[in-house]
Amino acid sequence: MKITHAQDRLYEALRRDLVQHLVFGAVVLIVVFCFFAVHAWYQGKAELLDTFGYQREAFWKVFREALGYTLMMGVPVYFNLFFVYQGRLQDFLTRSIHDRKWVKNGSFYLFLLLSLITAVVFSFIYAPVMHAAFDIIEQQWYELVIAILVFILCTTGISYTKEAIERSRELERKERLDIIRRRREAEQQLNFIKRQIRPHFLFNTLANLQILARRKSEGLPDLIGELSRLLRHLVYQTNERLVPLQDELRFIRSYVELQRLQLGAHTVLDYREEGQAPDNARIAPMILLLFVENCFKHYNSRGAGEKLIQIHFEITEGWLEACIRNSFKPHARNEGTVEGQKAKSGIGLSAAIENLELVYGGRYRLEVDKSPPYYTINLKIPVL
């Protein structure tokens, strides 16, 4: 609903303390007037039997005394709000006490005691005034103590509730601003990681093409076309917060096929996808690439014997589960990034984990198994 300028000015005026106090005073005046009118009718001190058409003199008589009584009650109420509720009187009385913990723990009971003293003092002051100036109602000093104490506690409760609501709104406003700030910082960090990944991926791919060019491979033109499609995905889709899951898996398949060319004869590549990705399934871009890329980078290509690179993706309801495994030789050369550290030649798995944290927070599961001869990563992320 659209708020007009007049409504906005009205809401702004109602939020002012002076307006709120005047409105509260008017409500109290109406309540006191009704009480005086009923009391006058019950005591027979005013002619109020004709419902709303009673005599004008009786109306103004009740109104004047109700207004005077409301104003008189306002003095101890605002004295209590200004001096007792806000702690000024407590600070003055306890300024010589060094143990502030005792004062803090007993602040509620001290407030009740000072409120009671305020009600008693003003009741003794008001008692003779009540007998001289009021005809409809007659209250003794102890009755005035109860009345003043009720007004004090009611207004204090309303003030406390109002301040609590304002504090809650201010806290919510600060939390919203903090969320916006942290979201912007996360987006900046994510964009920084993406800017690192793009040239990193490009350098590795160009190195593979250079090897093929030296071998004068006949499939080089097709691979250059495949690289063009990969780069198009990097340039146009990775700027989005979420991309279609099918497109991201297609990108990974193309990348795997491109990397297959550099594998030796004793390396087994096992790539599988299980499950059907829904058309509307989306995933954060570049999440899978770093894990897959590190799999090819650290599969111990120079080691003896048969090597394994295994990449499995399984799509279930609302989740994508990835199992990425490669041959692994501890303490081998260039394997510092496998431990999650940044090596000089790459950005490593630390960037992948940081990417996961920025995008999914705690809504993912990552398990790393470094038991030789395989290095295994099990990843489970939500499909949004």
Side-chain angles (χ1 to χ4, degrees):
M1 183 179 66
K2 186 176 180 180
I3 299 177
T4 63
H5 181 66
Q7 290 175 330
D8 183 63
R9 293 181 60 183
L10 176 61
Y11 295 151
E12 187 65 27
L14 292 176
R15 291 182 59 185
R16 296 177 181 175
D17 291 339
L18 178 60
V19 176
Q20 292 177 354
H21 285 286
L22 290 176
V23 172
F24 177 73
V27 173
V28 173
L29 175 60
I30 294 173
V31 174
V32 172
F33 174 82
C34 294
F35 173 77
F36 275 34
V38 173
H39 184 77
W41 171 80
Y42 183 75
Q43 297 292 335
K45 295 181 179 180
E47 297 178 1
L48 304 177
L49 296 175
D50 296 331
T51 63
F52 203 73
Y54 47 76
Q55 295 182 3
R56 182 178 299 176
E57 293 79 6
F59 171 82
W60 288 112
K61 175 69 175 177
V62 175
F63 179 79
R64 284 194 300 270
E65 294 201 10
L67 178 62
Y69 189 86
T70 302
L71 294 176
M72 288 177 61
M73 292 296 108
V75 176
V77 164
Y78 281 96
F79 175 86
N80 182 272
L81 285 176
F82 186 78
F83 290 103
V84 180
Y85 176 72
Q86 297 185 9
R88 292 184 175 89
L89 189 58
Q90 292 91 317
D91 293 339
F92 176 77
L93 296 175
T94 60
R95 66 184 185 279
S96 61
I97 299 177
H98 299 287
D99 189 3
R100 307 304 299 179
K101 183 178 179 181
W102 178 87
V103 177
K104 183 178 180 180
N105 293 336
S107 59
F108 176 72
Y109 301 101
L110 185 59
F111 166 77
L112 291 180
L113 177 61
L114 293 176
S115 298
L116 178 60
I117 294 174
T118 301
V120 171
V121 171
F122 276 93
S123 66
F124 279 107
I125 297 174
Y126 286 168
V129 178
M130 293 289 297
H131 291 292
F134 290 84
D135 296 326
I136 296 177
I137 190 169
E138 295 179 0
Q139 288 183 324
Q140 302 298 324
W141 70 270
Y142 54 86
E143 295 175 319
L144 283 171
V145 170
I146 297 174
I148 294 174
L149 194 59
V150 168
F151 274 105
I152 286 176
L153 295 180
C154 289
T155 53
T156 300
I158 294 174
S159 299
Y160 181 82
T161 303
K162 173 178 173 291
E163 292 178 2
I165 293 174
E166 291 178 350
R167 286 195 300 267
S168 176
R169 289 177 177 174
E170 181 65 18
L171 182 61
E172 290 178 357
R173 187 185 69 85
K174 290 182 178 180
E175 288 179 350
R176 286 196 299 268
L177 292 177
D178 186 59
I179 291 173
I180 294 173
R181 179 185 58 80
R182 285 189 277 115
R183 183 180 299 170
R184 289 177 178 174
E185 291 178 355
E187 290 176 354
Q188 291 175 358
Q189 294 177 16
L190 189 60
N191 291 333
F192 176 73
I193 292 175
K194 290 179 180 179
R195 286 194 296 270
Q196 285 182 305
I197 294 174
R198 288 168 181 168
H200 180 74
F201 166 80
L202 180 60
F203 294 152
N204 290 341
T205 305
L206 290 178
N208 295 334
L209 294 179
Q210 184 181 21
I211 295 174
L212 295 176
R214 289 176 178 176
R215 296 176 182 175
K216 298 181 180 181
S217 173
E218 295 180 357
L220 184 60
D222 295 334
L223 294 177
I224 293 177
E226 190 71 26
L227 175 61
S228 175
R229 286 189 290 271
L230 293 177
L231 293 178
R232 187 179 298 110
H233 178 88
L234 285 174
V235 171
Y236 294 108
Q237 290 202 308
T238 57
N239 289 324
E240 302 294 332
R241 184 176 181 271
L242 297 173
V243 297
L245 176 58
Q246 294 179 350
D247 293 350
E248 193 69 14
L249 290 178
R250 189 181 303 113
F251 170 77
I252 295 297
R253 287 196 298 269
S254 298
Y255 175 76
V256 169
E257 292 301 319
L258 201 61
Q259 292 294 324
R260 187 190 294 270
L261 300 172
Q262 67 172 337
L263 300 180
H266 299 289
T267 302
V268 177
L269 174 60
D270 180 15
Y271 180 88
R272 282 186 293 170
E273 294 181 13
E274 297 181 7
Q276 182 65 31
D279 295 336
N280 60 346
R282 303 179 72 82
I283 188 177
M286 317 296 289
I287 288 292
L288 302 175
L289 175 62
L290 281 175
F291 292 105
V292 174
E293 187 179 26
N294 276 278
C295 181
F296 282 97
K297 185 177 181 181
H298 303 290
Y299 74 100
N300 192 22
S301 58
R302 298 182 182 181
E306 188 175 81
K307 278 81 69 175
L308 173 68
I309 296 178
Q310 192 177 63
I311 303 172
H312 290 176
F313 295 117
E314 182 178 358
I315 303 169
T316 58
E317 291 187 6
W319 294 91
L320 172 66
E321 297 185 22
C323 178
I324 302 173
R325 178 179 297 164
N326 60 275
S327 301
F328 169 60
K329 181 181 178 181
H331 311 299
R333 184 182 178 184
N334 287 334
E335 293 195 358
T337 54
V338 177
E339 298 295 332
Q341 300 174 356
K342 292 184 179 180
K344 294 181 180 179
S345 60
I347 59 179
L349 287 179
S350 60
I353 297 174
E354 185 178 0
N355 201 4
L356 281 171
E357 287 291 338
L358 291 174
V359 176
Y360 294 104
R363 297 178 300 158
Y364 74 93
R365 189 182 68 191
L366 177 65
E367 297 177 355
V368 179
D369 184 6
K370 296 179 285 185
S371 302
Y374 298 113
Y375 187 93
T376 306
I377 291 177
N378 291 302
L379 175 65
K380 185 176 182 180
I381 55 177
V383 175
L384 306 176

